[in-house]
Amino acid sequence: RAMAARYGSGQRELSVGSTVFPALPTADLRGLELEGNLEDVGYSVVPPAGLANVKDLWEDMARAVRTVEAAGLPPVWALMFDAPWLAVQRGWAIAQSVLGSDCILEPSLFIWSLRRNEDVRKRVKGQETEDAPRDAATWHGSEEREEKRCERIGQNFGLPHRDFSYTEAHFPDGRPRILNTWLPFTDATVDNGCLWMVPKEFDPMYASPEEYDHSRPATPGFEAGVTKVRFPMGTARPVPAEQGAAVIWHNVIHWGGCCGKRALTPRIALAATFRSTASKPTHLTEDGLLDALVEPLRPSSDKNTSCGLIALESRLRLIAKALLMYSDWYALTTESLPLASELTEGCERSS
């Protein structure tokens, strides 16, 4: 709350633990016109139909991210505010239509917030821009940066990859075990860094987890700035999405685009993974000990019943989990986990 007051730029106060979310429209995908086909193409974009009454909350999601970044924290710390959890609930309702009403939200949430290319270059040169929050790349030494794939926590994942193998994402009969949801807090465009995906028809290794190229569609080359790609680049498609939409997939090759210097608003988005109740936890969460932390948010089939909120202590644990989970990509220090640093040891034991 103190952070919101200090960095909120005099706008409407961001809520912490007190929001009552309005009922969201049905997420039955059969009644919606989708861009792409989840089963044939491998991904879909669910439009933000019926979300006009919560547009202010979607704006609050982006403001929450900018607020924590202004305070020098990674974007995922925005989960301490209430608004981003509405996006998670939206993703959960969509997942229920794909995986069943009893599907489980994996405690592996993350938030990305991009920088304009011009802002990034000025940061590298030691210059400042008034509209760019402090860059988390300054939190750790240059030698440590070189060992990591990304310089800043919450920076775009620009390397083509799969989140899960075909086996982890599907049952033996081909039915989906999991659904990945990507929920933009801003419009996601080609200019500001939307996702790119490879349709299943152009991915001969999609259902071949035993093949090397399945789990490593792209790898960093030996030379700086070189990437070895194991699929035809011309088959990749940009996947723009409006604020409030949801991009969903099982295990297609994908990556995030970069934000150009002329983009009106750098892209901000949250990712959440859901799994069938008949499936064991994925490799990202393994033991499932943190699953119960997110249960209060589960969408209800009763339209007159609003979902609950995640307890503040639970939010801290989920943030710590997220930062530890992606520590192979980002350099972490205790400065990345202020206030929650005491919880990291417990999260490491339980995740």
Side-chain angles (χ1 to χ4, degrees):
R1 293 186 182 95
M3 188 187 303
R6 181 173 180 182
Y7 298 101
S9 304
Q11 301 182 55
R12 185 163 60 92
E13 181 180 357
L14 292 168
S15 297
V16 181
S18 59
T19 302
V20 177
F21 290 145
L24 291 175
T26 178
D28 187 348
L29 303 189
R30 293 171 299 180
L32 297 174
E33 291 187 12
L34 306 182
E35 179 183 333
N37 180 289
L38 183 60
E39 303 310 324
D40 292 337
V41 180
Y43 60 86
S44 292
V45 180
V46 183
L51 296 181
N53 64 320
V54 291
K55 183 171 177 58
D56 285 349
L57 282 172
W58 246 265
E59 296 290 346
D60 285 350
M61 296 174 198
R63 284 206 301 124
V65 173
R66 296 186 186 110
T67 295
V68 298
E69 288 189 294
L73 298 175
V76 72
W77 272 90
L79 291 175
M80 287 305 300
F81 294 109
D82 295 345
W85 294 101
L86 181 65
V88 179
Q89 187 199 10
R90 160 84 166 155
W92 204 334
I94 292 170
Q96 287 177 326
S97 71
V98 177
L99 301 175
S101 61
D102 56 353
C103 67
I104 297 166
L105 166 60
E106 290 228 321
S108 58
L109 306 163
F110 207 70
I111 295 177
W112 289 269
S113 177
L114 306 193
R115 301 278 186 274
R116 293 183 183 88
N117 185 45
E118 184 177 39
D119 293 340
V120 172
R121 288 182 309 186
K122 287 184 177 181
R123 292 283 171 199
V124 171
K125 294 178 181 179
Q127 301 176 23
E128 296 292 333
T129 57
E130 292 183 0
D131 62 340
R134 282 191 290 168
D135 195 325
T138 62
W139 297 352
H140 44 77
S142 58
E143 292 183 2
E144 205 170 23
R145 278 205 305 271
E146 292 173 359
E147 297 173 359
K148 300 295 179 177
R149 303 183 192 183
C150 299
E151 291 189 346
R152 179 177 58 80
I153 300 175
Q155 178 181 327
N156 169 61
F157 279 5
L159 187 71
H161 64 282
R162 302 183 203 273
D163 296 311
F164 305 99
S165 70
Y166 181 86
T167 303
E168 194 169 23
H170 296 81
F171 289 104
D173 62 3
R175 289 179 299 115
R177 293 180 187 268
I178 63 166
L179 185 74
N180 294 297
T181 65
W182 191 85
L183 304 136
F185 295 175
T186 62
D187 288 345
T189 67
V190 174
D191 272 351
N192 76 354
C194 69
L195 289 178
W196 288 73
M197 294 190 165
V198 178
K200 286 169 61 175
E201 66 176 298
F202 299 117
D203 183 2
M205 300 299 171
Y206 181 85
S208 302
E210 71 283 356
E211 298 291 338
Y212 181 89
D213 291 1
H214 175 83
S215 59
R216 296 172 181 83
T219 52
F222 292 106
E223 301 175 51
V226 173
T227 299
K228 184 174 183 179
V229 177
R230 297 182 177 85
F231 62 90
M233 285 293 292
T235 63
R237 304 290 191 261
V239 187
E242 295 178 68
Q243 179 190 60
V247 184
I248 58 177
W249 71 95
H250 300 307
N251 72 313
V252 293
I253 298 170
H254 65 283
W255 65 95
C258 295
C259 182
K261 66 180 182 180
R262 294 179 179 83
L264 294 178
T265 303
R267 180 258 288 173
I268 301 174
L270 176 147
T273 297
F274 301 86
R275 73 172 187 271
S276 165
T277 188
S279 183
K280 64 181 181 180
T282 69
H283 71 277
L284 294 178
T285 55
E286 294 185 349
D287 52 28
L289 291 180
L290 299 183
D291 287 357
L293 298 184
V294 295
E295 272 301 309
L297 199 72
R298 177 182 291 276
S300 170
S301 58
D302 183 352
K303 294 182 179 180
N304 297 316
T305 302
S306 60
C307 71
L309 285 172
I310 308 298
L312 297 185
E313 181 179 346
S314 296
R315 299 184 200 190
L316 281 173
R317 295 185 67 191
L318 292 166
I319 290 167
K321 164 66 179 177
L323 291 170
L324 291 167
M325 181 176 64
Y326 285 105
S327 59
D328 285 344
W329 287 81
Y330 307 116
L332 274 183
T333 66
T334 54
E335 287 82 1
S336 306
L337 287 164
L339 304 178
S341 58
E342 297 178 2
L343 297 174
T344 58
E345 183 179 352
C347 282
E348 285 176 326
R349 288 196 301 267
S350 62
S351 61

